[in-house]
Amino acid sequence: MKKTFTVFVLMASLSMFSILFAGEIYVSPRGNDKNAGTKEAPYLTLNHALKQAREWRRLNAPEVAGGISIRLEDGIYVQSTPLFIRPEDSGRPDSPTLISAVENAHPLISGGVAVTGWKRGSEDLRIARELRSKVWVAKAPLVGNRMVETRQMWVNGNKARRASQFPDGMMERMIDFNPEEQTITIPTHQIEKLQNAGQLEMIVHQRWAIAILRVKSIDVRGEQSVVCFHQPESHLEFAHPWPQPVIGEEKGNSSFCLTNALELLDQPGEWFQEYPSGTIYYYPRSGEDMETAEVIIPVLETLMIADGTLERPIRHIHLEGITFAHTSWMRPSYQGHVTLQGGFPLLDAYKLHEPGLPEKAELENQAWITRPETAIRVRGAEYFTFNRCTFQHLASTGLDYEWAVSSSGVENCVFSDVGGTGILVGAFPDGGFETHVPFIPLDQRDLCTDITIKNNLITDVTNEDWGCVGIGAGYVSGIDISHNEVCHLNYSGICVGWGWTSLQSGMKNNRIEANYVHHFARRLYDAGGLYTLSSQPGSVMRNNRIEHLEEAPYATNDRAFYIYLDEATDGYTIENNWCPAERFDSNRPGNRNVWRKNGPQVADEIKNSAGRMK
């Protein structure tokens, strides 16, 4: 932990004594990349500033002594491509690189573009007659000579909702789920007008995850309709055994909602983009003036990539006081979206006819996954930190320490309006690695180690893929998740571990302490405010406050808990965690977990100290 502490002492020093930096580079939305990069003549782009700093380091220029400070002035920095940070950008302990806002500035790095030219009214007959005068219409902008296709839109900073069958939060129970025919049977009422909707999608509620399926056809058979879907998601949805929708469960059948059709545009705040014309239709909320409104749609899925290697990691880069916003997530439009857990899309999955792997005799399913898209991706790095940054209006993962990151961290940041997981850390073996096979790296540097996630607010995440989480950590060692507030989530709050295995994989000494998790499991169950998987010797879960476990209206069972030790969790000390009731569960845990004093009897002093330190 000493190394992690040193990271944030260094960050504090950078903030307090930035005047000591030998090399300063200024960037402004009103600048010019032909300028000198000084305060009086700033550059226009952060890319150019990074190149200047890289050249100073390559030449060992005098500006390198004491460190380099790239200062961003107030304004919006629109990215046409992701920022690329590489090993050549690395600083040193005595000469770090700080990328930060100038005093009292609020720079925003955006992957979005404005939609302008709105006109009131539509003559499209697919819109109800009484609504045609209320709907506004605009053409999607062109970027690189191509029309921007999008699944996200923000109006005056508020996320608009894609046109849907029901108001937000409502679904309907399906009638049948047929894996052999690859069909879902639903009630016919309300869908007669959707038979010719060419871009229609179905959101399927399935225990601890959702699926987003592109509708291929609807066969109306009286009061029931049979729905077929496009490939590849149809095969994945009906072949993978966990999780699948259920029929006749203790609290009813699984649920669904149809979305993304102009015929469904009937509520203020809803929108629809027609393909291939690119026309965008929007039904304004009360008080929105579309002649003056700021409407943003995203172009980029990723805003920044920091890409190092084990041999040449990126070192000593610190970002402070910057807002990252407006990223896209297009996977469901191109190939649907069927996940295993935690928002990880399936590449392939099926049930074994005869259960068993050498490592796990009772295993009945196989699954290969890929990693979700992310706004900020960091790989192969040491001492790569974020402080006082904001991550907002993002469509998939906010920040991902993906692989071989050590002695790094995220502190005093805000994650809000994120479609997927707020912060993702560590290995979740993907591609050709079957996800239930224990991941035991030959080189322990492949793991993310000594990562600190501290004093952050993570709220209103998981708002597109409900099965994502607030903070998700896979194969990690020495992670410190403490004093965060994690709230308003559709599934679990803080999740640590992966692999469903009792074998030793390098996961160890993980710490989940003094966090405040509340208003979680709003839509999905089989959830935990604090959730763990697999053996993690030397780990602790203590002094947390967990409350407001929601009554998910379409859950098919009651499996949601304040603390949930899922399969093979072992090596944890769980103590002094406050929650209003002893609603805990374990799924085949190991025998080295220690429980001490958890529930409503925990002292108020511990309860009231959990969460962000303000």
Side-chain angles (χ1 to χ4, degrees):
M1 307 313 295
K2 184 180 295 183
K3 288 198 295 185
T4 304
F5 177 75
T6 302
V7 170
F8 289 106
V9 169
L10 174 61
M11 289 176 65
S13 300
L14 295 177
S15 300
M16 295 169 61
F17 303 111
S18 58
I19 193 171
L20 300 178
F21 281 87
E24 287 193 331
I25 304 171
Y26 283 82
V27 188
S28 169
R30 297 159 291 282
N32 190 312
D33 282 347
K34 295 181 179 180
N35 286 345
T38 63
K39 186 174 184 179
E40 296 74 22
Y43 291 138
L44 174 64
T45 66
L46 181 52
N47 272 324
H48 201 79
L50 286 167
K51 183 179 179 181
Q52 177 65 74
R54 192 180 313 130
E55 287 299 289
W56 281 349
R57 293 197 181 278
R58 182 178 67 87
L59 299 171
N60 198 24
E63 289 85 355
V64 172
I68 298 173
S69 177
I70 299 175
R71 311 297 305 281
L72 301 183
E73 295 185 0
D74 202 37
I76 299 175
Y77 298 81
V78 177
Q79 294 295 125
S80 58
T81 58
L83 292 165
F84 178 31
I85 298 178
R86 61 207 83 182
E88 289 80 5
D89 294 315
S90 293
R92 306 189 305 261
D94 63 336
S95 176
T97 294
L98 172 65
I99 306 171
S100 68
V102 302
E103 188 175 0
N104 298 321
H106 300 90
L108 185 150
I109 297 175
S110 172
V113 62
V115 181
T116 58
W118 290 94
K119 296 181 180 179
R120 180 197 292 272
S122 173
E123 297 179 359
D124 197 302
L125 299 181
R126 291 172 294 171
I127 300 174
R129 183 184 300 275
E130 65 273 16
L131 298 178
R132 291 173 195 169
S133 63
K134 298 180 181 180
V135 170
W136 288 67
V137 181
K139 286 289 187 182
L142 296 177
V143 174
N145 294 329
R146 292 182 63 87
M147 176 267 295
V148 177
E149 187 180 356
T150 182
R151 297 177 64 89
Q152 297 79 31
M153 187 170 79
W154 293 272
V155 181
N156 294 334
N158 298 309
K159 193 170 191 175
R161 183 171 184 251
R162 299 174 88 217
S164 298
Q165 183 181 10
F166 306 116
D168 191 25
M170 290 185 61
M171 305 187 83
E172 188 167 20
R173 304 284 181 180
M174 61 180 63
I175 296 171
D176 189 37
F177 180 84
N178 189 325
E180 289 73 26
E181 299 294 330
Q182 295 190 15
T183 60
I184 295 177
T185 302
I186 64 176
T188 293
H189 67 88
Q190 298 185 6
I191 70 162
E192 293 92 340
K193 60 183 180 180
L194 298 177
Q195 286 179 272
N196 297 317
Q199 297 164 244
L200 190 66
E201 296 176 0
M202 179 183 286
I203 298 174
V204 178
H205 186 297
Q206 41 198 36
R207 306 183 191 225
W208 58 83
I210 63 167
I212 302 174
L213 311 175
R214 297 169 299 165
V215 173
K216 182 178 181 180
S217 65
I218 300 177
D219 181 11
V220 176
R221 302 175 183 177
E223 295 183 355
Q224 298 183 2
S225 292
V226 179
V227 187
C228 295
F229 307 95
H230 289 285
Q231 301 292 359
E233 64 265 38
S234 182
H235 163 75
L236 291 170
E237 173 67 4
F238 293 95
H240 83 292
W242 299 103
Q244 268 193 347
V246 294
I247 302 297
E249 188 72 2
E250 59 191 83
K251 296 181 70 175
N253 296 348
S254 289
S255 301
F256 73 94
C257 178
L258 296 170
T259 67
N260 199 43
L262 186 57
E263 293 86 343
L264 297 174
L265 185 64
D266 59 3
Q267 295 292 323
E270 288 189 330
W271 71 285
F272 171 78
Q273 183 181 28
E274 188 172 57
Y275 180 85
S277 72
T279 303
I280 298 175
Y281 299 81
Y282 179 60
Y283 187 167
R285 302 177 179 95
S286 176
E288 290 177 338
D289 182 351
M290 297 309 295
E291 293 182 343
T292 60
E294 178 189 64
V295 181
I296 302 293
I297 61 174
V299 176
L300 299 181
E301 289 191 320
T302 300
L303 287 173
M304 186 178 81
I305 300 171
D307 208 358
T309 67
L310 287 178
E311 296 76 20
R312 301 183 67 240
I314 301 169
R315 294 186 171 107
H316 298 285
I317 303 285
H318 311 291
L319 293 97
E320 184 172 317
I322 300 170
T323 294
F324 301 93
H326 306 133
T327 58
S328 182
W329 178 49
M330 292 301 300
R331 180 184 184 88
S333 292
Y334 302 148
Q335 50 192 310
H337 182 63
V338 183
T339 68
L340 176 68
Q341 183 171 315
F344 285 86
L346 288 167
L347 297 174
D348 195 11
Y350 54 85
K351 187 171 183 177
L352 296 169
H353 292 296
E354 296 184 13
L357 289 181
E359 302 86 357
K360 193 172 184 180
E362 72 277 17
L363 185 72
E364 64 175 350
N365 62 308
Q366 298 275 270
W368 293 263
I369 62 173
T370 188
R371 207 164 181 108
E373 290 76 11
T374 183
I376 310 292
R377 174 177 288 114
V378 183
R379 296 186 287 218
E382 299 174 358
Y383 301 101
F384 198 108
T385 64
F386 296 83
N387 187 27
R388 296 192 299 105
C389 291
T390 298
F391 302 77
Q392 66 181 17
H393 309 328
L394 307 173
S396 189
T397 306
L399 168 63
D400 191 350
Y401 282 140
E402 181 175 324
W403 168 80
V405 181
S406 64
S407 302
S408 300
V410 188
E411 186 171 7
N412 302 310
C413 293
V414 174
F415 294 76
S416 66
D417 183 16
V418 177
T421 294
I423 303 173
L424 197 61
V425 183
F428 294 83
D430 57 2
F433 194 104
E434 203 283 322
T435 198
H436 299 95
V437 174
F439 177 65
I440 304 175
L442 295 176
D443 192 330
Q444 286 294 306
R445 294 180 299 168
D446 287 341
L447 294 180
C448 286
T449 58
D450 296 325
I451 306 294
T452 296
I453 301 172
K454 185 175 183 181
N455 206 29
N456 303 289
L457 172 62
I458 300 168
T459 183
D460 186 27
V461 301
T462 74
N463 62 29
E464 290 200 35
D465 185 347
W466 305 343
C468 292
V469 302
I471 301 172
Y475 288 90
V476 293
S477 174
I479 194 168
D480 177 4
I481 304 173
S482 60
H483 282 286
N484 302 283
E485 183 175 356
V486 182
C487 56
H488 303 292
L489 309 154
N490 288 315
Y491 180 49
S492 296
I494 298 173
C495 302
V496 179
W498 196 250
W500 299 268
T501 179
S502 60
L503 299 180
Q504 300 305 305
S505 62
M507 288 189 288
K508 61 184 178 181
N509 301 333
N510 296 317
R511 177 184 175 203
I512 308 170
E513 183 163 358
N515 301 283
Y516 180 28
V517 179
H518 59 98
H519 294 91
F520 66 98
R522 294 187 304 181
R523 299 183 192 241
L524 304 176
Y525 267 20
D526 284 270
L530 304 179
Y531 173 100
T532 58
L533 266 175
S534 299
S535 178
Q536 304 175 44
S539 296
V540 298
M541 182 190 298
R542 65 163 70 100
N543 299 346
N544 298 283
R545 176 179 178 177
I546 315 111
E547 61 182 332
H548 297 298
L549 193 168
E550 301 277 21
E551 293 292 334
Y554 298 101
T556 55
N557 59 44
D558 288 319
R559 291 187 54 76
F561 311 98
Y562 296 110
I563 297 174
Y564 184 16
L565 307 188
D566 203 352
E567 188 170 337
T569 293
D570 204 4
Y572 263 93
T573 297
I574 306 105
E575 60 184 357
N576 291 323
N577 297 288
W578 184 92
C579 47
E582 293 185 6
R583 186 167 172 172
F584 311 134
D585 197 30
S586 298
N587 177 19
R588 294 189 288 180
N591 57 13
R592 294 172 298 164
N593 296 312
V594 178
W595 291 80
R596 298 193 191 106
K597 195 177 180 182
N598 299 282
Q601 70 272 26
V602 172
D604 286 346
E605 179 182 358
I606 292 175
K607 170 186 174 182
N608 296 330
S609 297
R612 289 181 294 157
M613 297 181 292
K614 300 177 183 178

